[in-house]
Structure formats: structure tokens, C-alpha cells
Amino acid sequence: MALARYAAARFTRNLAVFSQVRLMSQGEYGSGVGKGGGGGGSVREAGGSFGKMEAAHEEQYFRKLQAEQLKSLKSQHDEEIEHHESAIRRHQEAIERHKKRMRQIDDQADDLDSSDSDVEKK
């Protein structure tokens, strides 16, 4: 008996949620319960101007939050770009150092070759 009551209550609760979701898709935000604004507190439940104003404030809050998140994401990308650019600069400097060292080695090898040929001529 208790199990049947529990199942009936659960079914009724699920049906209520389904019908509320269905009703919430009608109307505009802040128009009152079941009209797009539903269940968001006593002001929004009452509907009218205050409900619409509350819905507008909520939308404004989320737009501001999204703008802050985008700004943060852009900042993170800028930092990452700067990190990679500095790594590129370090690698290019290392390449130039190695090329300079290679030229020095080539010059030393040329000097050794020329000194060997001078010794052979004598």
C-alpha cells in the first residue's frame, strides 16, 4: 500500500515537472508563473513589470558574466601567445649562436688547412 502511494506520488511529481517545463516555454520572461519566468521567486512569480524587470536584470547579469569570461579567455590566450613568442625568440637566438659557432669552427678549419699547405710548400 505504501509502495503504491510512493509510486503515485512520484508519478504525480514527474507529471507536474513535465507540465511545468511545457508551460514555461510559452510567453516571455518575467510574465509570471508558467509563462517563461516561472518559479524564480515571488517577484517573478507575480509577473507584471517587476517580474519583467527582474528577468531583465538576470539576463544582464549573465551577459556581464559571459563578457567577463570572454575577457579572461582572451587574456589567457594573449599570455600564451606571448609565452610562445618569447620561446621563438629564445630559439632564434640559440640558432644564431650555433651558426656563429659553426662559422668560427669553419674559420679555424680554414686556418688549419692554410697553415698545413704553407708547411707543405716549405
Side-chain angles (χ1 to χ4, degrees):
M1 180 75 167
L3 185 59
R5 257 189 269 170
Y6 173 74
R10 188 170 176 211
F11 175 75
T12 305
R13 191 171 49 234
N14 288 343
L15 185 60
V17 169
F18 175 72
S19 63
Q20 183 180 10
V21 169
R22 194 164 167 230
L23 288 174
M24 286 178 62
S25 65
Q26 300 171 353
E28 59 186 38
Y29 290 120
S31 303
V33 176
K35 295 182 181 151
S42 60
V43 173
R44 288 185 69 176
E45 285 177 4
S49 298
F50 286 112
K52 290 178 184 177
M53 181 180 67
E54 189 65 29
H57 286 310
E58 184 178 331
E59 289 296 317
Q60 182 181 12
Y61 168 79
F62 284 112
R63 269 187 263 121
K64 184 178 177 182
L65 182 65
Q66 185 179 24
E68 290 173 1
Q69 289 172 340
L70 288 173
K71 184 178 177 181
S72 174
L73 183 63
K74 184 180 183 298
S75 173
Q76 290 173 1
H77 282 299
D78 287 340
E79 290 173 7
E80 191 170 345
I81 288 169
E82 179 58 36
H83 168 74
H84 288 298
E85 287 175 343
S86 68
I88 289 170
R89 282 192 297 273
R90 284 194 318 270
H91 289 301
Q92 287 174 337
E93 290 169 358
I95 289 170
E96 288 303 315
R97 278 195 314 272
H98 290 302
K99 285 182 178 180
K100 182 179 177 182
R101 183 65 183 140
M102 290 291 289
R103 285 191 298 269
Q104 289 174 348
I105 291 171
D106 287 341
D107 290 344
Q108 289 175 353
D110 289 343
D111 288 344
L112 286 176
D113 288 342
S114 66
S115 66
D116 285 344
S117 63
D118 289 341
V119 171
E120 290 176 8
K121 289 181 184 177
K122 291 185 182 180

